[in-house]
Amino acid sequence: MNWISNYVRPTINSIFSRREVPDNLWTKCDECGTMLFHRELSDNLHVCSNCEHHMVITPRERFNGLFDGGIFNEVKVPEPVADPLGFRDQKKYPDRMKAAQKTTGEKEAMLVAEGEIDRTPIVAAAQDFSFMAGSMGMYVGNAIIAAAERAVELKRPLILFSAAGGARMQEGILSLMQMPRTTVAVEMLKEAGLPYIVVLTHPTTGGVTASYAMLGDVHIAEPNALICFAGPRVIEQTIREKLPEGFQRAEYLLDHGMLDRVTHRSKMKEELVTIVRMLLRLDPAVKGDLPPPDQIALPDESDGKTTKADAKP
C-alpha cells in the first residue's frame, strides 16, 4: 500500500498535471549571461536590464518602437532575379533563401517603411541581421533605391539602420555592384536637399560600411556596436600585432572622429526627431502626443459645448 501511495499515485498525478512551458519565455544575454523574461526584454527594446547590452533587433520590432503608435506603411521593393549565378556550396542558394524566410518570417534582409515619429514624416529602412547576416544582395540595393526614391517623392528625410556582415557571396559581383548603386541613391537625396541619417547597429561590416552606411549627413551608432570593413581578427592576423582595447567599437570610433553620436536605443527616437527637425529647419517637436484625428474636439454650434468629431479626411 505504501508503494502505491508513495510512488504510483504521485507519478500518475505528475503525468496528468504536467503543463507545457514555452521554450521562448526567457532569453540569455550574450554579454553578461543574465536570463531575461521575454516580455520585459521586449518592453526594454531588447536591451539587457543588467548590463545595458544592445541585442540584435529585427526591423519590424524596431519600427514598432520607432513610429508613432507603431503604425507604418511598407514601401514596395522591386524583386530582383532569383539565384542569378546558380550558386551552390553546401546548399543551393534558393534553399538558403527559403530557410532564412522561414526562420525570420521576412521576404529579405531589408525592410522599408514610411510613417511619422513624433508627428515628423520620414522614410526609414532597416537591415535584418537574422536574415543571412543582413548580407547586401540585389534586393538590399533595390530596397535602398526604393527608399531614396520614395523619400524624394514625398520630400521626406531618409533614416537607415544598418546591420550586416557585408556583401552576399551567393550573388558575387552582382552583390558588389550594389555599392555604387546605393551611392547613387544617396546622391539623389543630397541633390534634393533631404537629410540622410544613418544609425549603425551591431554589427555593420564589409561592403555595407564601405558604401551607404558611411555616406550619411549624420552618423549615429548604438553602444558597443562593431563597425568596420575588415574585422579585428583579420587585421590582427595581417599586421601581427595586438589591437587596442575596444578597437572598431562605436565608442572608439566616436573618439577618433568617425561618428557623430553614440546613443542608447531608448533615446534613439528622441535623438532622431531632434536631428531631423534641425536639418529641415522645423520647430522642435512638441513634448507629449496630440489626440488622434477622430478624437479632435470641435465646438458644437447648437449649444456652445465642445464635442468630439471625426476629423478624418
Side-chain angles (χ1 to χ4, degrees):
M1 189 66 182
N2 289 338
W3 179 79
I4 294 175
S5 60
N6 293 338
Y7 178 76
V8 176
R9 188 175 296 170
T11 302
I12 294 174
N13 289 338
S14 66
I15 293 173
F16 285 100
S17 63
R18 188 176 297 163
R19 296 180 180 179
E20 294 294 331
V21 179
D23 296 330
N24 59 348
L25 285 180
W26 298 88
T27 300
K28 185 177 181 179
C29 176
D30 301 330
E31 193 71 18
C32 67
T34 302
M35 297 301 293
L36 305 165
F37 185 52
H38 74 105
R39 196 169 298 167
E40 294 179 356
L41 183 61
S42 178
D43 292 341
N44 204 34
L45 301 176
H46 292 262
V47 177
C48 177
S49 55
N50 181 57
C51 68
E52 298 296 323
H53 173 61
H54 285 52
M55 300 181 182
V56 173
I57 186 172
T58 66
R60 207 166 290 276
E61 291 170 328
R62 188 181 293 278
F63 287 170
N64 285 335
L66 178 70
F67 289 105
D68 296 343
I71 300 172
F72 58 88
N73 295 321
E74 293 186 34
V75 175
K76 187 176 180 180
V77 177
E79 292 284 346
V81 177
D83 194 16
L85 304 180
F87 191 93
R88 177 171 184 169
D89 47 17
Q90 294 177 342
K91 290 182 180 180
K92 293 181 180 179
Y93 181 34
D95 293 339
R96 289 193 181 276
M97 287 291 293
K98 289 177 183 177
Q101 290 168 348
K102 183 178 179 181
T103 301
T104 62
E106 297 292 347
K107 183 186 298 184
E108 251 283 0
M110 180 165 277
L111 182 66
V112 183
E114 59 183 66
E116 295 184 346
I117 53 174
D118 281 354
R119 304 290 178 171
T120 307
I122 67 159
V123 174
Q127 283 180 277
D128 189 351
F129 190 78
S130 58
F131 193 105
M132 296 185 69
S135 51
M136 177 183 62
M138 291 187 294
Y139 185 94
V140 170
N142 288 351
I144 295 174
I145 292 171
E149 289 178 342
R150 188 61 176 164
V152 172
E153 178 185 352
L154 298 177
K155 294 181 173 56
R156 296 183 179 184
L158 174 60
I159 300 175
L160 187 141
F161 297 85
S162 64
R168 186 171 296 178
M169 69 174 187
Q170 290 87 351
E171 296 182 13
I173 188 64
L174 298 173
S175 174
L176 296 177
M177 283 301 297
Q178 307 315 306
M179 296 170 66
R181 289 185 75 216
T182 54
T183 301
V184 172
V186 172
E187 195 62 30
M188 290 168 48
L189 293 166
K190 296 185 183 298
E191 290 178 358
L194 296 170
Y196 172 52
I197 300 172
V198 181
V199 180
L200 299 109
T201 70
H202 178 78
T204 299
T205 64
V208 171
T209 310
S211 55
Y212 58 86
M214 296 305 291
L215 294 176
D217 299 306
V218 178
H219 294 97
I220 306 173
E222 291 186 336
N224 203 40
L226 176 66
I227 303 164
C228 61
F229 180 73
R233 180 166 52 88
V234 175
I235 296 175
E236 280 189 346
Q237 291 174 352
T238 302
I239 66 176
R240 303 181 187 278
E241 291 184 12
K242 187 69 177 175
L243 297 174
E245 183 70 24
F247 183 69
Q248 294 181 323
R249 295 289 174 168
E251 292 76 9
Y252 184 92
L253 297 181
L254 178 66
D255 292 340
H256 290 77
M258 288 192 66
L259 296 175
D260 298 300
R261 307 280 283 182
V262 174
T263 304
H264 193 281
R265 191 174 290 168
S266 63
K267 300 178 181 178
M268 187 66 70
K269 179 176 180 178
E270 181 181 355
E271 184 95 322
L272 290 173
V273 170
T274 301
I275 293 172
V276 165
R277 296 186 74 88
M278 285 177 61
L279 294 177
L280 292 175
R281 298 181 181 179
L282 299 175
D283 294 332
V286 178
K287 296 296 182 182
D289 200 6
L290 299 174
D294 59 343
Q295 297 293 315
I296 294 177
L298 297 176
D300 188 344
E301 295 179 357
S302 60
D303 56 4
K305 296 181 179 178
T306 300
T307 60
K308 291 179 179 179
D310 188 352
K312 292 181 180 178

